[in-house]
Amino acid sequence: MEASEAAPAVATAAVMEAEDVSGGKGSWYVLGERALMVPYMREHVPRYHDWMQDPALLEATASEPLSLSQEFEVHRSWTLDPLKHTFILLDKELIEGEFVPGNPHTEAMVGDVNIYMNDSDDMQIAEIEIMIAEHKSRGKGIGQEAILLMMAFAVEKYGIHTFRAKISESNTASLKLFRKLGFKDASYSAVFKEVTLEAPTDSLPLRFPLTIGDW
Ligand SMILES: CC(C)(COP(=O)(O)OP(=O)(O)OC[C@H]1O[C@@H](n2cnc3c(N)ncnc32)[C@H](O)[C@@H]1OP(=O)(O)O)[C@@H](O)C(=O)NCCC(=O)NCCS
């Protein structure tokens, strides 16, 4: 290839990489006591895809099985969607060496947490979803910490005033977790066998300031 042709290709790749990391929404990590929330990067997709082969996780998260290339496409659409913000959760105990911003640290990824501003009547309501996929990292308080960190982040960066969670009626662990944090049952869908819970921001035990760093 001619040198003159190579330059735009490199520039395009750089732009795509930037899009993939932040989608124009800013790119941060958030530090907790047990968990670190980092941007969902392309490097995370193969392991994420492995997790989503588990029928129990598919059911708990109301997801459909995808091929790896579909998972890469979903990753791209999530990162570019201005109404969605996703973090991969790192278990701090599993990080090899020092945490380095910009490094995907796939060795420590254990789940994800995301918000979705999908209520067209009020864009400052966010639906929140959490998944701790790695069983070895469940029951350590990471899920609870990640929800609280994500909600504080959403208040700070998106001005969210109410959070919503849609949880299968059979998912007792997740129902218990959200109710423990102060979410109240708002409605029930007999068709989807799903409970919708809600919490106004000022009723939640959120802690500020957050420890946020540039990615
Ligand atoms: C539900 C889930 C997020 C919990 O994450 P976790 O990190 O294991 O939970 P934590 O250690 O932070 O526990 C916090 C609270 O959640 C509840 N909880 C967590 N696991 C539980 C379980 N197996 N049974 C009952 N309650 C449970 C408890 O209230 C717990 O507080 P406590 O220890 O004071 O009783 C995790 O099990 C998961 O991702 N499951 C599969 C995917 C899923 O269901 N996602 C939610 C869809 S909305």
Side-chain angles (χ1 to χ4, degrees):
M1 183 186 284
E2 298 288 325
S4 59
E5 288 176 316
V10 170
T12 307
V15 169
M16 285 182 66
E17 195 175 314
E19 277 181 353
D20 277 345
V21 171
S22 76
K25 288 172 283 191
S27 188
W28 300 281
Y29 68 89
V30 182
L31 180 66
E33 282 175 28
R34 301 176 178 86
L36 258 156
M37 310 202 305
V38 302
Y40 185 21
M41 299 170 74
R42 284 181 64 80
E43 288 87 340
H44 296 128
V45 174
R47 184 134 170 219
Y48 193 97
H49 179 253
D50 281 349
W51 291 340
M52 301 317 285
Q53 304 308 301
D54 175 358
L57 271 185
L58 288 170
E59 191 189 335
T61 57
S63 305
E64 296 292 326
L66 301 177
S67 68
L68 183 58
S69 64
Q70 287 171 319
E71 202 75 76
F72 272 108
E73 195 40 51
V74 168
H75 164 265
R76 185 172 161 72
S77 74
W78 281 8
T79 50
L80 293 177
D81 187 342
L83 302 180
K84 193 150 194 153
H85 203 116
T86 303
F87 285 108
I88 287 292
L89 298 171
L90 306 182
D91 180 339
K92 284 170 77 175
E93 292 182 342
L94 302 179
I95 292 176
E96 290 170 5
E98 289 293 302
F99 168 68
V100 179
N103 178 334
H105 284 290
T106 52
E107 79 281 3
M109 64 186 282
V110 297
D112 75 329
V113 61
N114 62 68
I115 51 163
Y116 193 19
M117 284 64 80
N118 57 2
D119 187 330
S120 55
D121 292 334
D122 187 340
M123 299 309 281
Q124 282 164 312
I125 297 177
E127 186 172 331
I128 184 162
E129 296 170 328
I130 176 83
M131 174 177 79
I132 307 299
E134 295 288 344
H135 288 246
K136 62 180 181 294
S137 291
R138 286 191 186 163
K140 293 169 68 174
I142 292 177
Q144 177 169 318
E145 180 175 63
I147 293 170
L148 291 171
L149 288 175
M150 181 48 141
M151 292 192 295
F153 175 86
V155 171
E156 195 165 306
K157 298 292 184 193
Y158 293 94
I160 298 301
H161 62 69
T162 300
F163 292 92
R164 188 172 279 161
K166 294 188 175 185
I167 302 172
S168 163
E169 67 177 357
S170 62
N171 192 344
T172 47
S174 193
L175 284 170
K176 199 169 164 203
L177 170 53
F178 279 89
R179 286 175 180 147
K180 180 185 170 190
L181 294 179
F183 280 70
K184 306 277 184 236
D185 294 24
S187 60
Y188 172 75
S189 164
V191 176
F192 295 110
K193 298 196 185 323
E194 186 180 80
V195 185
T196 296
L197 303 102
E198 288 184 357
T201 295
D202 57 14
S203 73
L204 291 163
L206 304 184
R207 279 195 276 164
F208 296 96
L210 280 173
T211 306
I212 296 183
D214 288 329
W215 188 240

